[in-house]
Amino acid sequence: MLPRTRDDYDNAKTSKIRLTFTKRYLRVTWFRGLVFVALSCILLFTIYIRWDNNFTPDTSEKQFDDTFERPVETLVQTQFHPPIYTPAHTPTSAPTHTTTYTETHTSVVHDTINWKERQNAVREAFKHAWGGYVRDAWGCDEYHPISHRGSNLTGIGIGFTIVDSLDTLLIMDLKEEFQHARDWVSNSLNFEQNGSVNVFETTIRVLGGLLSAYHLAGNDTLFLSKAIDLGDRLLGAFSSSSGIPYASVNLSSKQGIPAHFVGGASSTSEATTLQLEFKYLSHLTGNEKYWKKAEEVMFKIDSLQKLDGLVPIYLDPHSGNFVGSTITLGARGDSYYEYLLKQYLQTSRTEPIYLRMYDQSMDGVKSRLVNYSSPSKLLYIGELLNDDFNPKMDHLVCFMGGNFALGVTHGKTVREINHFNFKELEDLRIGKELTKTCTEMYFRTATGLAPEIVYFTGSSDSEKDISIKRFDSHNLLRPETVESLFIMWRLTGDVQYREWGWKIFEAFEKHTKFEGGGYTSLEDVTSTSPGRRDKMETFWLAETLKYFYLLFGPNDQIPLDKYVFNTEAHPLPIFIPRRKVRGQGWNRQ
């Protein structure tokens, strides 16, 4: 072999370099080709799925022409899970398993019930109740069916029952009855009276009723003018040194009047459940004074020390501080938490401060108040008495089932939301389980109706989850459970909520309907002879029957993403606030 020359070495080196580059080029080309094939497969699969979803025939539409008879997906979970937060108290018989909760679409239930007939049954129940009131107590604030008489909270009354029922009459399309009521408002409703009224009750029932009627009646200025007159009189309650409203107000002098208990303290829920109505009144009139007074209360509340977002149930209107340490989502505390969420929703989510306050308070509820009964592991919300956990739950708390779910979806259905985070799934689960617990408060009594208050048992050897004390066994025709059933039905589409609602309605019909006209409260739901109380609360017409009617009706009637219901079930439209009527437009520093 001849010796290699310099040129041979150069040629060999060049060939080696070329070979190296060729190998690198082939590897890069192969990798790019692999990526291209993978992306193409993903793209083709996505196109196929979308095509399949868009063009697969909707057999439910063809088979079920009636809106009330379309199949819906069952979303209620039958299993129970512990809270994701570690409770500050020790949960009673808390479940020990740690099954991860996921929102799943389980079996499809073909709903063949004629819900229109059931809705009409509710409408007939309203007409029966209204007819007795018209005959025996027309113009009076309250109705007593057994004695066939009415009574007033002030001298000549301000028509609590009539005004509270205006929007129900409109929603149920009772034209003649509504015209009769409107004529009374036009000719007889007079707020110039030398008498005191509860600020909270008058705001949620009368002011809220007038504002809702104004909107639903096509902006009927009669109702707005009456609302302005009443709103100006109620402003007198805010004359305290702290801006926290007094419990009552004199309608004529417009002077605030302290409560006759707890040293003149105002209930926390009453002081913080005026905001939806006053803000909407400012929105309609362009006058910021109503908004500003109501908003200053929330600014003051936010500055006070809380327990994980939870607040005591009394406020001193002079100092503006909390009184006592009792914390409950029942009487005197309930609607504070309700209105935190609804203030955020009412103004088209333009005031995020209220969502932050709501989220903080719900964290406190989950860590300190949520518990489970024994033996059935029913989820309930207890109370704190001097920092000690008390397994007592008012029927009033049952609004929270729907409220938890509303806080997750903000009025949209679960099917419209693409993704839920873990906290949202947990809140939705709690809402479902609490609603289920509230129906058990009905189904476990002799009458099928819930008492005012229940106690949950936690002993491992207990045979009953619920105990009812004699003085708590009455039923006042309250709406909270039906309210949650309505909201849960609208948001989840699970027909079980309608079924439970119908069962409860039948129990009301059986035990509270008074053949002489009207409906009555009951003395003892645990007895097959429950006894009657001679009173029909105005919220039976304004709330309970309205929620039943909407529960059994079409979903486009008062949609939850277009309206907020005040705590007396008066629907108020969601709006975008104008800057000039937003008061302080406050935020945390």
Side-chain angles (χ1 to χ4, degrees), residues 527-545:
S527 171
T528 54
S529 301
R532 292 182 180 271
R533 291 187 176 185
D534 188 19
K535 188 175 182 182
M536 184 179 79
E537 299 285 353
T538 70
F539 51 68
W540 172 248
L541 300 172
E543 296 187 77
T544 312
L545 288 177

Side-chain angles (χ1 to χ4, degrees), residues 82-84 101 366 422-431:
I84 60 175
Y101 174 80
K366 289 182 285 189
F422 194 60
K423 175 185 177 299
E424 291 167 339
L425 286 173
E426 179 70 1
D427 285 359
L428 190 58
R429 177 190 65 82
I430 291 174

Side-chain angles (χ1 to χ4, degrees), residues 62 110 113 133 137 207 233:
K62 295 181 179 180
H110 292 274
I113 294 171
Y133 168 77
L207 182 59
R233 298 173 190 274

